[in-house]
Amino acid sequence: MIKKTLPGGSALLATGVVLALLGLLLLLSPIAVGNAVVKLVALVLVVTGLFQMFQALRAASPTQRAVSGVLGVIVAGVGVLVWFNPEVGSGFLTALLMIFFVINGLWKIFSALRFRPASGWAWLLLAGLVSLVFVYLLWSQWPLSSAWAIGVRGGLDLLLTGCALILLARALRKARAPDQFDTISL
């Protein structure tokens, strides 16, 4: 029989506190956070493109060299374009984030419904609902919302998820008897 340790209340509590604090920091300057994320993505694209071009030089066949080289140039070029025109990158990232946050919001809602007996489940439900409402607001103002959306959305998500984890950790501590172990048998 294999036993695996479950995350304890202390780990959930610490993670919740860190996420909530990071969320508050992101909410203080959402435009700066959004711009920093776009610059970071641009840098990653340029580095990825350069590595792909380097790999093209080492490819076995001329076709592989050509395809890898062209893809490397395209990826690096998109990175340079995003670096010098962050609005394009910000709009594209916002569109990707909308897709991600719809999926993430639905997952949080379904997870909250599964944890309904625990006292912190409503925070997780609220985090999921806020995700879906925020995506709707982004969609109604997209692409103009891109400048602030990345920082605000990330900050709200971290803050609400952190609060949910803090409350779930407290509920977990109350539900456990002092003589119970944090293990599960598989």
Side-chain angles (χ1 to χ4, degrees):
M1 181 170 14
I2 299 172
K3 292 194 177 221
K4 290 201 173 195
T5 303
L6 294 175
S10 298
L12 284 177
L13 181 64
T15 303
V17 168
V18 169
L19 290 179
L21 290 174
L22 285 173
L24 287 174
L25 286 174
L26 289 177
L27 287 171
L28 291 176
S29 184
I31 293 175
V33 170
N35 289 336
V37 168
V38 170
K39 293 288 189 177
L40 181 64
V41 168
L43 184 63
V44 167
L45 287 171
V46 169
V47 170
T48 302
L50 291 174
F51 274 117
Q52 191 148 11
M53 286 185 271
F54 176 72
Q55 281 299 109
L57 298 173
R58 301 177 53 185
S61 73
T63 304
Q64 288 175 336
R65 281 193 292 275
V67 170
S68 190
V70 167
L71 289 176
V73 169
I74 290 171
V75 170
V78 168
V80 170
L81 173 70
V82 169
W83 183 271
F84 288 111
N85 192 354
E87 294 82 25
V88 170
S90 179
F92 181 70
L93 279 177
T94 302
L96 289 176
L97 283 174
M98 283 189 280
I99 293 167
F100 169 77
F101 285 122
V102 164
I103 295 167
N104 188 282
L106 291 173
W107 177 82
K108 285 181 182 179
I109 290 169
F110 290 125
S111 293
L113 294 175
R114 279 194 349 214
F115 290 117
R116 202 170 13 186
S119 67
W121 75 275
W123 282 95
L124 197 56
L125 178 68
L126 179 63
L129 292 173
V130 167
S131 286
L132 296 180
V133 168
F134 197 76
V135 168
Y136 170 75
L137 293 173
L138 285 176
W139 180 256
S140 66
Q141 297 178 7
W142 188 74
L144 300 176
S145 60
S146 301
W148 56 269
I150 296 169
V152 168
R153 179 61 200 103
L156 279 175
D157 186 60
L158 289 175
L159 179 63
L160 290 174
T161 303
C163 289
L165 291 178
I166 290 167
L167 291 173
L168 285 172
R170 290 180 56 191
L172 185 61
R173 281 188 179 164
K174 288 179 185 175
R176 289 189 176 144
D179 59 342
Q180 280 186 316
F181 295 102
D182 292 339
T183 61
I184 187 168
S185 297
L186 296 176

